[in-house]
Amino acid sequence: MIFSEKQIESIAEMLKSIAHPIRLKILCFLMEGEKNVGEIESEFGSTISNISQHLTVLRKANIINRRKEANFMYYTLKDENVSNLMRTIKINFCSDS
Amino acid sequence: MIFSEKQIESIAEMLKSIAHPIRLKILCFLMEGEKNVGEIESEFGSTISNISQHLTVLRKANIINRRKEANFMYYTLKDENVSNLMRTIKINFCSDS
DNA sequence: ATTATATTTTAGTATTTATTAAAAAGATAA
DNA sequence: TTATCTTTTTAATAAATACTAAAATATAAT
């Protein structure tokens, strides 16, 4: 085993945060670039409260960043590692590119 | 959005199956090649019953295959897509390669 | 100030998932 | 056929997660 117990726990935590239909859709959407909560909400149903809660989960798992501008919150994928992971998922598990 | 709802659901399901410390460790171990339940059990604690249940989760999520030989069950990663995903996780989220 | 807009937080309930222990099933060996 | 070994299944309880609706916060506009 190459990984430490701590590392395993944190990677599992991160994957768990991605492994939800709504959060996965949010992340796919964020691959396009920065979006605010309203934009995310209108892209696919659910309530804005629910979206916000899912964004919190992603943020606590270190998957996304947020930036405040006026009373809007703009979200982005955290870093290249996250982008790489999302791209790999897309390439390997989505029939159409 | 490029993905269909069904595709999203199934990818989320698959990621959820990976997103657990014990299952993640099992998958890392299987990157080395085929292993039976006893080998997996002795590699890291937990009971054999618990391991078996986690293996069932992974198998139902189409992440691993199994093969019977005498009264041993041998498990492997399902395909290249799964290997690619595991490799990406390893490269991007494990400090030491 | 008051109202409106955008987002987050809290609280409650329902659902899902994990863990443990015991029982069962299947294959081999004595 | 009885015993043994490997693995799976079942059942019960505990713990984590998800969803809804309501309340709260913060900024902007009137």
Side-chain angles (χ1 to χ4, degrees), chain B:
Chain B
M1 281 290 86
I2 301 168
F3 315 126
S4 73
E5 192 60 31
K6 250 188 188 166
Q7 208 164 30
I8 285 284
E9 299 271 350
S10 106
I11 298 172
E13 198 59 33
M14 180 220 39
L15 289 171
K16 199 163 59 179
S17 81
I18 300 182
H20 182 283
I22 292 177
R23 296 197 292 266
L24 194 54
K25 281 193 274 187
I26 291 172
L27 293 171
C28 289
F29 191 39
L30 291 182
M31 288 174 87
E32 293 177 9
E34 195 178 56
K35 307 286 179 187
N36 66 45
V37 183
E39 289 173 318
I40 296 168
E41 189 255 357
S42 60
E43 182 71 12
F44 23 77
S46 203
T47 64
I48 210 152
S49 158
N50 190 229
I51 298 281
S52 175
Q53 290 176 69
H54 284 303
L55 286 167
T56 299
V57 171
L58 290 170
R59 205 159 44 80
K60 288 194 173 157
N62 265 290
I63 292 292
I64 59 177
N65 278 328
R66 72 173 172 182
R67 169 179 82 79
K68 186 171 211 161
E69 188 178 311
N71 47 358
F72 293 84
M73 284 291 194
Y74 287 92
Y75 285 88
T76 49
L77 297 185
K78 179 95 171 187
D79 55 32
E80 272 311 297
N81 294 327
V82 175
S83 304
N84 290 340
L85 177 57
M86 290 306 298
R87 189 170 46 251
T88 300
I89 290 169
K90 206 166 160 179
I91 292 170
N92 286 279
F93 300 98
C94 296
S95 15
D96 48 308
S97 105

Side-chain angles (χ1 to χ4, degrees), chain A residues 58-87:
Chain A
L58 291 170
R59 205 158 45 80
K60 287 193 173 160
N62 264 289
I63 292 291
I64 58 177
N65 277 328
R66 72 173 174 183
R67 168 178 82 80
K68 186 170 209 162
E69 186 178 312
N71 46 357
F72 293 84
M73 284 292 194
Y74 288 93
Y75 284 89
T76 49
L77 297 185
K78 180 98 174 183
D79 54 33
E80 272 311 298
N81 294 326
V82 175
S83 303
N84 290 341
L85 177 58
M86 290 306 298
R87 189 169 50 249

Side-chain angles (χ1 to χ4, degrees), chain A residues 37-67:
Chain A
V37 183
E39 290 172 315
I40 296 169
E41 188 255 356
S42 61
E43 181 72 11
F44 23 77
S46 200
T47 63
I48 210 151
S49 158
N50 190 227
I51 297 282
S52 175
Q53 288 176 67
H54 284 302
L55 287 168
T56 299
V57 171
L58 291 170
R59 205 158 45 80
K60 287 193 173 160
N62 264 289
I63 292 291
I64 58 177
N65 277 328
R66 72 173 174 183
R67 168 178 82 80

